[in-house]
Amino acid sequence: MTSVLGYTVRWERRLHAPLGLRFGVPVLSVGLAFVVGAAVLAANRVDPLRAYSQISMVFLTLSGISQALSIGAPVLLIAVGLAIGFRTGFWNIGAEGQYLMGAVGATWIALFVPDIPPTLVVPLMAMGGFVSGAAWASGPALLKARLGVNEVLTTLMTVYIALQLVFYLTLGPWRDPLVPAFAGTAPFPAYARLPRIPGTSIDPSITIGILIAIVLYQLMQRSRVGFEIRVVGESTSAARYAGIRYLRTILLGMIISGGLAGLAGMVVVSGSAGYLRAEIAVGYGFTGIIVAWLAGLNTLAVIPATVLFSGLKVGADVLQTTSGVPEAFTVLFQAMIFIFVIVGELFRLYRFRIIRTLSA
Amino acid sequence: MRRIIKSFPGVVANDNLDFQLLPGEVHALLGENGAGKTTLMNILYGLYRPDSGQIIVKGREAKINSPRDAMQLGIGMVHQHLKLVSTHSVAENIILGLNEPRFFLKMDEVHDRIHELGERYGLPVNPQQKIWQLSMGERQRVEILKILFRESDILVLDEPTALLAPPEIGELFAALRRMASEGRGVVFISHKLNEVLEVSDRITVLRRGRAVDTRRPSETNTAELANLMVGRPVLFKLEKKPFSPGAGFLELQNVEVMGDKGLPALKGISLEIRAGEILGLAGVAGNGQRELAEVITGLRRLTKGKIYVNGLDFTSSSPLDFLSAGISYVPEDRQGVGSVASMTVAENLVLREYRNGPFARNIWLDFKAIDEHASQLVSEFSIMTPDTRNPVQNLSGGNLQKLILARELSRKPKLIVAEHPTRGLDVGATEYVHQRLIQAREQGSAVLLISEDLDEILTLGDNVAVIYEGKLVGLLSAQQASIEVVGMMMAGSSGG
């Protein structure tokens, strides 16, 4: 350990991570991101205080909140699913691909399966989205469980396969025959769209997402399956010793995380978009990873983390139009939060002390 | 080390402790779990800072803020839980953390030096092997060589014999004597009385954070040391009813399996364990004991042979089937296999029973029942924990072992596979575990006791099987067996 001016920093592993830090780390991470963000804004000749007050307006106006919630639903669903998947020790980086496949599955039901009674279309689309996302995720899960193939690589690679598949479908067999100049499907019929809460742009998906987050939290903490997932995530050999079926458990984790990402895809094509285009791949699957970690893989904490992230996104869009702040600022901001959370994890696990050492 | 005080939340681990190590001596630190032996040495090694007190190394007061400072002062430590990178080679582990060489590693020179040190101290290892391929005893040698490689002259070994078989213990002691004769100071932490008497020049006994006394082996005996250590006289006798075995519970026929290294680990084992029988399995570490235990608990697939439990073919059954058939298992690897570090004491106590009543109601777990169960076992087995919601990563090694034993013994098992059940336990807890194993036998359980402590096997066992290189080389009744005969068989000599 190097000492500077007669002082040394050393760390000891904490026996108990204090409760204060469990909340302190995410809050402080976001705070620090604001501070560093202010410097970046100032360097771009934007008054940070004015910019932040504009962002905060998002959380104070009805239109701002409804916009934040409408983009929040897919992120919420994805992050909740990832929180469970990560808990099984399965590093699913490919939620973006599972999200796209969910959108594909939902689109297929909306446009290409004939003779469904109109009232059943939306529920079937939701199922189709879930199943497609889960199926897309189960490939890497099987490869890992059976052959030990690293899932970080396979899940990430399947994102690009899914994206190319969407390109193929929207340029080829599923292209809207009426507007052949665009790569995209025809608009969905009204019965294949999520209903909206009158007078707003909010659809019920956010409520469903919140319900799912609460139910999964209960399952993780108090059910047998949740217990099994927690054991498997910590130690596969302890899980085998406990008589837990490893394959079944990580498949279940993957079905939940892939399925919810697929459901998010359905929510987007059936809700705000109303068609399938490759442009729906805006990175919700990657934002979801950050949100899940900011929430400490706790599905309840995912809810406020999502509100924060989607609010920031909407706020940054506002900034872009009013102050000319580039869109990259949002990404920068999210990345800073992520970095601070990861660094904060170190402080949660270790205690740092500055010690006077022998001075010359 | 003078007047060392160190407290942790709720306990004073070192209470005004003095300790002196001379060059050229092996100095034993003797005490029960939690007496403060490891804390004191962690202070010396810079892992903890004392609340107050002085450390004087070679006549000068030293401030030791990190292991690096300690190493620079010539202090090296072998921890109870070995700290090696398992996918790296022996040589890579030994040079890990060294400042020299800066860029280019001359691995040939390193290999030669490791060979030479190994020869000199009687601790041979192959520097090119990966750590995961080595037995626990070999891994410990690597840790010792690592210190010798750094030319440390103060060596601290924390319970080094806990991992070793009798012949390996002899080799270790010879190496320790050799180091002392070269003028190094060796601190030997243990709670085993015989070993301490055998190897040390001086013995300091700790009890509840205080140094009770320092003796020379010639001035004392086991009974007196036990008394100093526990604070009350200790009985070394066990009450045991005569052997009257019931029906066979588990039978292995010609079992063969592969080990982790991809080589045959068991080569045609046939064995029967009966209800009401304690079968001791003796052997030097790495001769197939762990693989045998894993076969009997369903954790390792057979390549040949058959297993019958209660007369039913269990050859291709899952770990859950073995568990449900009433087979309990106390695994050697407590942290990696036997428990889940981040989960609570209560959750770990139902790790193997969570799916059964009264802990489970349809898909939900009943945490009230789980907590009650935990409170009961915590007091019954005197597991030291502030509460049952404490994550087990905060428990000491001995307490974690008690937790695993509590869980496995309380299931009313038909067969207990106990792998080194008293390793790391103090005298009092060992006594208790032995009583519980005998009690289980009297209630009609079968027990397979895997241990390298021959005293333990011969006192508890009704019959003794000896394993060598994956084969059973002897099966004798405890009356016929003597330490000499079994020791010979463990070393591969077929006589007897």
Side-chain angles (χ1 to χ4, degrees), chain B residues 18 79 147 268 325:
Chain B
D18 292 316
H79 297 272
I147 298 176

Side-chain angles (χ1 to χ4, degrees), chain B residues 342-416:
Chain B
S342 70
M343 292 171 75
T344 66
V345 167
E347 286 173 326
N348 271 284
L349 280 168
V350 294
L351 184 60
R352 307 233 295 159
E353 286 289 320
Y354 69 90
R355 59 178 75 73
N356 302 326
F359 310 123
R361 273 178 305 164
N362 48 61
I363 69 158
W364 301 102
L365 293 174
D366 183 344
F367 276 94
K368 208 169 145 236
I370 289 172
D371 279 337
E372 277 167 16
H373 170 77
S375 309
Q376 193 198 327
L377 289 182
V378 161
S379 65
E380 191 181 336
F381 283 79
S382 25
I383 301 167
M384 304 286 271
T385 175
D387 59 73
T388 58
R389 298 279 173 98
N390 186 19
V392 298
Q393 64 205 8
N394 299 336
L395 297 187
S396 73
N399 272 307
L400 186 58
Q401 181 72 347
K402 285 192 213 167
L403 179 148
I404 294 170
L405 285 159
R407 180 183 66 216
E408 297 305 311
L409 290 173
S410 64
R411 302 177 56 224
K412 300 195 180 66
K414 302 229 171 57
L415 168 65
I416 302 161

Side-chain angles (χ1 to χ4, degrees), chain A residues 117-172:
Chain A
T119 47
L120 284 182
V121 171
V122 167
L124 279 175
M125 284 171 73
M127 278 174 61
F130 188 94
V131 170
S132 315
W136 200 245
S138 63
L142 282 170
L143 281 174
K144 159 141 181 169
R146 287 274 184 231
L147 301 172
V149 180
N150 186 316
E151 74 276 19
V152 174
L153 298 176
T154 51
T155 52
L156 189 59
M157 289 191 292
T158 49
V159 172
Y160 299 99
I161 301 175
L163 189 60
Q164 296 306 317
L165 191 70
V166 171
F167 275 125
Y168 165 73
L169 289 172
T170 53
L171 283 164

Side-chain angles (χ1 to χ4, degrees), chain B residues 148-161:
Chain B
L148 292 170
F149 198 90
R150 278 150 218 240
E151 290 171 348
S152 304
D153 40 23
I154 299 174
L155 289 94
V156 180
L157 292 98
D158 192 356
E159 308 222 353
T161 57

Side-chain angles (χ1 to χ4, degrees), chain A residues 24-25 44 110 112 118 203 219 242 252 262 272 334:
Chain A
V25 164
N44 281 289
F112 303 103
D203 56 51
L219 276 173
L252 184 73
S272 53
Q334 293 182 352

